[in-house]
Amino acid sequence: MTETDVRAALRAQRIEVPSWAYGNSGTRFKVFAQPGVPRTPEEKIADAAQVHAYTGVAPVVSLHIPWDRVDDFGKLASYAAERGVRIGTINTNVFQDDDYRLGSVTNPDPRIRRKALGHLLECVDIMDATGSRDLKLWFSDGTNYPGQDDIRARQDRLAEALAATYDRLGPEQRMLLEYKLFEPAFYLTDVPDWGTAYAHCLKLGERARVVIDTGHHAPGTNIEFIVAFLLREGKLGAFDFNSRFYADDDLMVGAADPFQLFRIMHEIVRADALREESGVNFMLDQCHNIEPKIPAQIRSVMNVQEATAKALLVDAGALAAAQAAGDVLGANGVLMDAYNTDVRPLLAQVRTEMGLDPDPMAAYARSGYAERIVAERVGGQQAGWGA
Ligand code: LRH
Ligand code: MN
């Protein structure tokens, strides 16, 4: 790929940011409140718009229901548009109601299953109002002790709810099914791995795809293999990017393992799936428990840009030749040369070409926005997970 093509691909990159990253978040031990945190979905969107203003590649904001529920989602979509961003993926939430103690769509009690399905269908109504394409489904459903419930029966219940939701989707709308190894369930999770999500999506149809949350795997899992496999099957719908040292830590993407992010983006570039038409939605799903949230999102977007730039610089011809020749070290060397390339000057140039400051972090810090929101956002209920 010529450097001109690389810069064009980087200018065209699109990363979706999560509304909940701008609210307070934490662990069971403590949720630390930070001054200036949004109180409303509008203020979350205003903060997300700052990330796009300084990076130029983050024009879409994911919402989470009910955390971002408003009376008029059409009006919220206009509010976002006035700030240069649009509302993207709608995230369901059937993991914070006492009724879901033994599961939501997999619950033994049909009344509770109907309630959970009702929420999923309401989220499609919201997509109709916001013009969103993607419905993202993550289920905390699972059990904590062997024998607590019937594994197969729970899969039957899950499949029934997924099919009913899929049938409700409009022709341009998609369903993204997210898997997670464990937590909050600690014995069995009903959608624990990519294979289970993939199998359900295959049964559902073309507009059902898998979400890879990079924090949802057993330690040592080769995530780029899952990426390559699902791309080959046309079943990779999206990423929830973050990073972790241990479990679902939801740290800044690329912070814990930038080499893993590079290897993932290498499989994306190799499959020509960076283009918007590929249908892969590159989203962040993070919690900034102790660090300032808007700068952390800007840094996260830059981490994805850096991994992408390095992946675009892989000499594909030399790599293919070394692989064909069985030149193990040669092939590995080609990839490491790209990974060890300092792409920060290239990205600074790309930002300049986009009419942006080459250093988004410094430009945001100079803007005074952080100080302004601390001064303005006094009183009211700061946004959070409401857990
Ligand atoms: C679950 C998850 C899911 C979201 C939530 C915010 O761990 O990754 O994607 O709904 O985090
Ligand atoms: Mn996620």
Side-chain angles (χ1 to χ4, degrees), residues 144-186:
N144 277 359
Y145 298 98
Q148 175 186 329
D149 196 355
D150 182 77
I151 296 175
R152 186 173 176 141
R154 294 175 71 89
Q155 288 299 312
D156 295 341
R157 299 162 195 160
L158 170 66
E160 191 185 326
L162 291 175
T165 307
Y166 189 85
D167 293 347
R168 165 66 185 82
L169 294 176
E172 303 309 314
Q173 296 173 331
R174 307 190 311 173
M175 168 189 287
L176 305 177
L177 182 57
E178 183 175 358
Y179 59 88
K180 181 174 179 178
L181 182 65
F182 81 103
E183 188 211 33
F186 295 110

Side-chain angles (χ1 to χ4, degrees), residues 3 32 46 62 84 119 146 155 157 162 179 194 207 235 267 277 299 325 344 363:
E3 189 181 310
F32 295 100
S62 315
H119 172 76
Q155 288 299 312
R157 299 162 195 160
L162 291 175
Y179 59 88
W194 72 273
R207 288 176 293 106
K235 276 298 183 189
E267 291 305 329
E277 308 76 59
R299 180 69 255 177
R344 294 172 292 182

Side-chain angles (χ1 to χ4, degrees), residues 136 178 213 216 240 285:
K136 187 163 78 117
E178 183 175 358
D213 184 310
H216 286 188
D240 264 5
D285 178 6

Side-chain angles (χ1 to χ4, degrees), residues 108-317:
D109 181 337
R111 179 188 66 77
I112 293 174
R113 296 202 296 273
R114 281 194 298 278
K115 174 180 177 176
L117 177 58
H119 172 76
L120 306 185
L121 299 178
E122 181 213 353
C123 286
V124 183
D125 298 341
I126 292 170
M127 291 165 69
D128 294 342
T130 58
S132 298
R133 174 192 64 182
D134 292 344
L135 175 74
K136 187 163 78 117
L137 303 174
W138 171 68
F139 298 103
S140 60
D141 291 46
T143 62
N144 277 359
Y145 298 98
Q148 175 186 329
D149 196 355
D150 182 77
I151 296 175
R152 186 173 176 141
R154 294 175 71 89
Q155 288 299 312
D156 295 341
R157 299 162 195 160
L158 170 66
E160 191 185 326
L162 291 175
T165 307
Y166 189 85
D167 293 347
R168 165 66 185 82
L169 294 176
E172 303 309 314
Q173 296 173 331
R174 307 190 311 173
M175 168 189 287
L176 305 177
L177 182 57
E178 183 175 358
Y179 59 88
K180 181 174 179 178
L181 182 65
F182 81 103
E183 188 211 33
F186 295 110
Y187 165 61
L188 170 147
T189 293
D190 293 292
V191 187
D193 55 29
W194 72 273
T196 306
Y198 174 55
H200 280 289
C201 287
L202 272 180
K203 280 246 181 64
L204 290 161
E206 166 42 38
R207 288 176 293 106
R209 296 199 182 188
V210 178
V211 179
I212 297 179
D213 184 310
T214 45
H216 286 188
H217 304 83
T221 300
N222 185 321
I223 298 177
E224 59 269 26
F225 169 82
I226 302 170
V227 173
F229 187 95
L230 291 174
L231 281 170
R232 184 171 172 276
E233 301 300 317
K235 276 298 183 189
L236 178 59
F239 287 96
D240 264 5
F241 276 143
N242 49 63
S243 70
R244 53 82 169 279
F245 290 103
Y246 303 102
D248 190 18
D249 307 351
D250 280 340
L251 300 173
M252 292 190 296
V253 60
D257 190 345
F259 186 41
Q260 180 188 63
L261 182 60
F262 162 75
R263 300 193 312 266
I264 289 170
M265 294 314 290
H266 169 59
E267 291 305 329
I268 291 289
V269 170
R270 184 234 174 282
D272 193 20
L274 195 57
R275 297 165 301 107
E276 203 146 355
E277 308 76 59
S278 77
V280 177
N281 193 351
F282 299 91
M283 306 186 285
L284 303 181
D285 178 6
Q286 298 173 174
C287 296
H288 305 298
N289 299 347
I290 59 173
E291 68 269 29
K293 301 164 189 297
I294 298 169
Q297 287 276 295
I298 292 173
R299 180 69 255 177
S300 301
V301 169
M302 294 168 67
N303 287 354
V304 176
Q305 289 181 299
E306 290 175 15
T308 305
K310 293 177 182 218
L312 289 164
L313 291 175
V314 171
D315 181 336

